[in-house]
DNA sequence: TCAATAAAATGACCGCGGTCAATAAAAAAT
DNA sequence: ATTTTTTATTGACCGCGGTCATTTTATTGA
């Protein structure tokens, strides 16, 4: 059972991804059509699905790669120690996550691996986000009565909550960062009686 | 500009909804097909879309109605005062919200109104959920350094977080309720130093 | 160098949500 | 009662994601 991958394969895949990125640059994620991608890449429609399980799989790759780059930047900074520093450090990540309703929905949909064997780029991103925040919280000026892991899970939960409300017309008065700061102040630094 | 609605309209609409409910009872939400609904209801496909903006709009109505019934029950109980009582009171609601991946995704997608004018059944449900939990927290044995509204938003955020992880194979070890209890203990009753 | 075999690409085809000009049925006007 | 106007229904059609038997291209073995 030899399964030699031809270099042709890599070229085609690269062409598909590059074509997708170009189309997204001009039209955004939501408007991306598989037929446009294959036409721009100069291949047949079936070829697309020989390289990606479905359209979402490509989206996962593209969005996951972008998110990873943002996490690289966040990781390179000197670790934030206060709530507002943490929010500032994550701002580019959160901004991208809420840049399009379509992107946010896809993130939620693929945030967890449905099977341990198939951890996709987005599930991978959330895992990395969680570990990074955990690390920050270990050394930050926050409550110590619960584990940093639990605190990090809460940060994620509140970030997603704030993002949801960002898309809601009923709560448009407050900005995303202000809302998240309110949440995290109450979550990370409750008053020590 | 009179816009008299014929009784015929109400009948057709009721038939469509009943047919949908029957199909869902046997096949679940995800597998519902518009073509099956109209065939079961004995109308043409176009009729469906004269009554509902799109398939999701019908889903919103069906799922929203179910959720409202669960909230009715929760509201009828004697108000819970502790974390585990709150979790127990919300258990049927949460159970339905996570009964199908498809249902959960739809809930997230329509949790907020995109325009103030179009508050759908699901956005309405989340608003009601929020108000009910707020009311409970006003009289419950929880921290008082922040408003009950903020606490209720947190309960919602943690509930959604726990639901997300329920669908994730990486975190399948812990049950939904156990996880939520851990979250809410830390959120609602932090140690008073 | 030339079969034999494996891998990749192709495009006609399908499923299903959603549209819309045409038609039928009901209500209002005469 | 008959015409006019409004409201509801119809079904052929479209867009787009996804499939698969067939064909093309690369690799291996003699």
């Amino acid at each position: 059972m030899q399964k030699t991958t031809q270099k042709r394969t890599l070229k085609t895949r690269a062409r598909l991804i590059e074509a997708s990125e170009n189309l997204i640059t001009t039209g955004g994620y939501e408007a991306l059509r598989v037929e446009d991608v294959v036409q721009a890449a100069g291949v047949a429609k079936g070829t697309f699905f020989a390289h990606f399980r479905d359209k979402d799989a490509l989206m996962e790759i593209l969005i996951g790669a972008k998110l990873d780059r943002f996490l690289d930047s966040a990781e390179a900074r000197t670790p934030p120690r206060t709530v507002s520093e943490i929010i500032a450090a994550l701002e580019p990540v959160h901004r991208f996550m809420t840049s399009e309703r379509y992107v946010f929905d896809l993130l939620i949909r693929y945030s967890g691996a449905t099977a341990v064997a198939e951890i996709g780029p987005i599930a991978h991103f959330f895992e990395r986000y969680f570990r990074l925040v955990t690390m920050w919280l270990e050394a930050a000026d926050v409550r110590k009565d619960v584990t940093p892991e639990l605190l990090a899970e809460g940060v994620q939960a509140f970030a997603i909550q704030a993002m949801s409300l960002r898309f809601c017309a009923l709560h448009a008065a407050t900005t995303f960062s202000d809302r998240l700061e309110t949440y995290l102040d109450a979550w990370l630094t409750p008053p020590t009686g």
Side-chain angles (χ1 to χ4, degrees), chain A:
Chain A
M1 183 193 264
Q2 73 274 37
K3 196 161 119 189
T4 49
T5 338
Q6 307 175 0
K7 46 210 138 169
R8 179 168 60 145
T9 309
L10 299 177
K11 271 204 163 183
T12 306
R13 187 190 158 96
R15 286 235 305 287
L16 284 167
I17 288 183
E18 201 199 323
S20 305
E21 283 171 341
N22 290 339
L23 288 169
I24 287 166
T25 301
T26 64
Y29 288 89
E30 169 128 49
L32 191 74
R33 297 287 168 265
V34 173
E35 304 200 343
D36 294 343
V37 172
V38 296
Q39 199 196 337
V43 298
K45 203 172 180 178
T47 303
F48 181 97
F49 295 97
H51 286 263
F52 310 102
R53 188 174 7 87
D54 52 25
K55 187 184 164 184
D56 281 358
L58 171 68
M59 287 302 193
E60 269 205 88
I61 290 169
L62 297 176
I63 291 174
K66 258 232 152 91
L67 287 169
D68 262 337
R69 297 228 325 277
F70 285 122
L71 274 193
D72 289 341
S73 302
E75 217 162 21
R77 299 175 51 143
T78 58
R81 295 183 59 91
T82 68
V83 165
S84 46
E85 282 172 12
I86 289 173
I87 292 174
L90 291 173
E91 198 272 340
V93 180
H94 291 155
R95 175 190 295 271
F96 177 71
M97 290 173 83
T98 54
S99 60
E100 265 187 64
R101 176 84 227 200
Y102 177 89
V103 171
F104 178 68
D105 287 342
L106 194 128
L107 285 172
I108 299 295
R109 194 148 16 111
Y110 291 99
S111 60
T114 50
V116 180
E118 47 175 67
I119 305 176
I122 288 176
H124 175 266
F125 156 76
F126 275 104
E127 194 68 21
R128 202 181 152 197
Y129 178 105
F130 166 73
R131 285 204 310 271
L132 180 61
V133 173
T134 302
M135 207 173 53
W136 287 345
L137 291 174
E138 279 166 357
D141 310 323
V142 294
R143 62 195 280 200
K144 299 295 176 188
D145 61 307
V146 294
T147 64
E149 281 82 10
L150 181 60
L151 291 182
E153 283 187 54
V155 169
Q156 197 168 305
F158 280 119
I160 288 173
Q161 171 85 356
M163 290 183 215
S164 286
L165 295 183
R166 187 196 172 292
F167 289 112
C168 180
L170 296 177
H171 299 78
T174 320
T175 71
F176 168 80
S177 285
D178 286 352
R179 183 153 33 222
L180 186 54
E181 183 145 10
T182 305
Y183 289 153
L184 294 192
D185 278 336
W187 171 237
L188 297 175
T189 59
T192 53

